[in-house]
Amino acid sequence: MSTFERATERRRDTSSHVRRPGSDGEHLVQRRLGTEGRADRFYADQVLDRLNPRMREFLSRQEMFFLATADRHGECDNTFRAGPPGFLHVLDESTLAYPEYRGNGVHASLGNIEENPHVGILAVDFLRDRIGLHVNGRARIVDDPEMRRARPELATDPVPGRRALVWVRITVEEAYIHCAKHIPHLQKAPRHGSGRSWGTDDFRRKGGDFFGAAAEAPRRGTFRPPPRADATAWRAEAEKLLARAERSEAEAGAEAGAGTGAGADTNTDGGTVEEPRVFSGWFSRGAPVG
């Protein structure tokens, strides 16, 4: 029995039945590199499906985080979000929300969330604790009036550039530590000038052409006008992909249960145990195991 399985066995009286966290590819690489034991210890001791009090306190004082999203094809984007301490609002142990401020108008992250709700947040404290926290979950875009009707306690930021265009509300599915050993310990530099230019359209104050991309852009050729977004078409495509995945899961479950004809395995006492549910995330909530 693995470390993760032993830890799960110890917690059977208080926890819902869970399967071993991680993706198939993750498990394959662990076997290839001989790290399954270390991974099991991490899964058993560090991965939660909610934010505990210390995680909530940590997030409530951060001024920045990194955000990972992907579109419906799996094409990834990683970006950075910043604001005053507490701009990443901890609504409860299972819910986060942050405001989207005025940016360059591209809306890459919001566009990905429209197609694919899975998001990953990495908050790193470089200044005090030198530790990080991963939060993975499902996001949806919420208009500011709707958000304030649901959460009237949210204050309106007095800085024009920090007023929410929309909100991103995240249902937490996984939360776990990012260890300190490779995180540099930084210090805040003295403030120069007027500080950050929230919401500005001033080319220079936004960074100008820092990487010299404008001189090389003509080599790329001109962009073709994008096709008009057809939400109905891509949603239909997403539904086809989902249906195909569900069929594959059902077939896999049928194959797993073929030995008994009833989708169950025989235990050492001659009885049967329920076949674990098809993987649907790191945590599969169901009836408590007693």
Side-chain angles (χ1 to χ4, degrees), residues 249-281:
E249 289 178 351
E251 291 169 1
E255 291 177 2
T260 63
D265 295 327
T266 304
N267 63 21
T268 54
D269 299 324
T272 59
V273 294
E274 183 182 358
E275 178 68 19
R277 291 184 294 174
V278 175
F279 178 76
S280 60

Side-chain angles (χ1 to χ4, degrees), residues 216-229:
E216 299 184 26
R219 302 181 197 173
R220 179 203 59 223
T222 57
F223 289 124
R224 289 177 296 176
R228 184 178 296 275

Side-chain angles (χ1 to χ4, degrees), residues 63 80 82-85 162 188 191-192 194-198 205:
E63 297 181 57
F80 170 81
R162 292 202 307 248
K188 280 192 174 182
R191 178 173 169 174
H192 296 289
S194 60
R196 289 180 279 185
S197 303
W198 299 102
R205 294 168 73 188

Side-chain angles (χ1 to χ4, degrees), residues 17 41 167 211 233:
H17 180 61
R41 287 192 294 274
W167 292 78
F211 293 103

Side-chain angles (χ1 to χ4, degrees), residues 48-57 59 89-97 133-136 151 169-175 285:
L48 302 181
D49 62 348
R50 62 184 63 85
L51 301 170
N52 69 17
R54 295 192 68 175
M55 291 174 174
R56 298 199 293 273
E57 187 277 330
L59 291 173
H89 295 263
V90 181
L91 303 182
D92 54 52
E93 68 174 13
S94 299
T95 316
L96 297 172
L133 178 64
H134 292 265
V135 180
N136 298 326
R151 296 282 176 169
R169 184 183 176 110
I170 299 165
T171 300
V172 176
E173 294 180 336
E174 305 156 357
R285 295 181 179 85

Side-chain angles (χ1 to χ4, degrees), residues 30-93:
Q30 290 165 9
R31 289 194 296 272
R32 185 185 303 155
L33 299 182
T35 65
E36 286 178 290
R38 279 158 49 201
D40 274 346
R41 287 192 294 274
F42 183 83
Y43 292 152
D45 295 335
Q46 294 299 323
V47 182
L48 302 181
D49 62 348
R50 62 184 63 85
L51 301 170
N52 69 17
R54 295 192 68 175
M55 291 174 174
R56 298 199 293 273
E57 187 277 330
F58 176 86
L59 291 173
S60 68
R61 57 182 167 83
Q62 298 309 307
E63 297 181 57
M64 61 182 181
F65 65 85
F66 302 94
L67 175 70
T69 60
D71 66 15
R72 69 186 185 279
H73 303 294
E75 298 289 342
C76 299
D77 181 77
N78 186 267
T79 191
F80 170 81
R81 291 290 182 268
F87 86 107
L88 178 59
H89 295 263
V90 181
L91 303 182
D92 54 52
E93 68 174 13

Side-chain angles (χ1 to χ4, degrees), residues 142-150 165 167:
V142 182
D143 290 336
D144 186 61
E146 178 186 346
M147 189 69 183
R148 294 189 183 280
R149 283 195 298 272
L165 295 178
W167 292 78

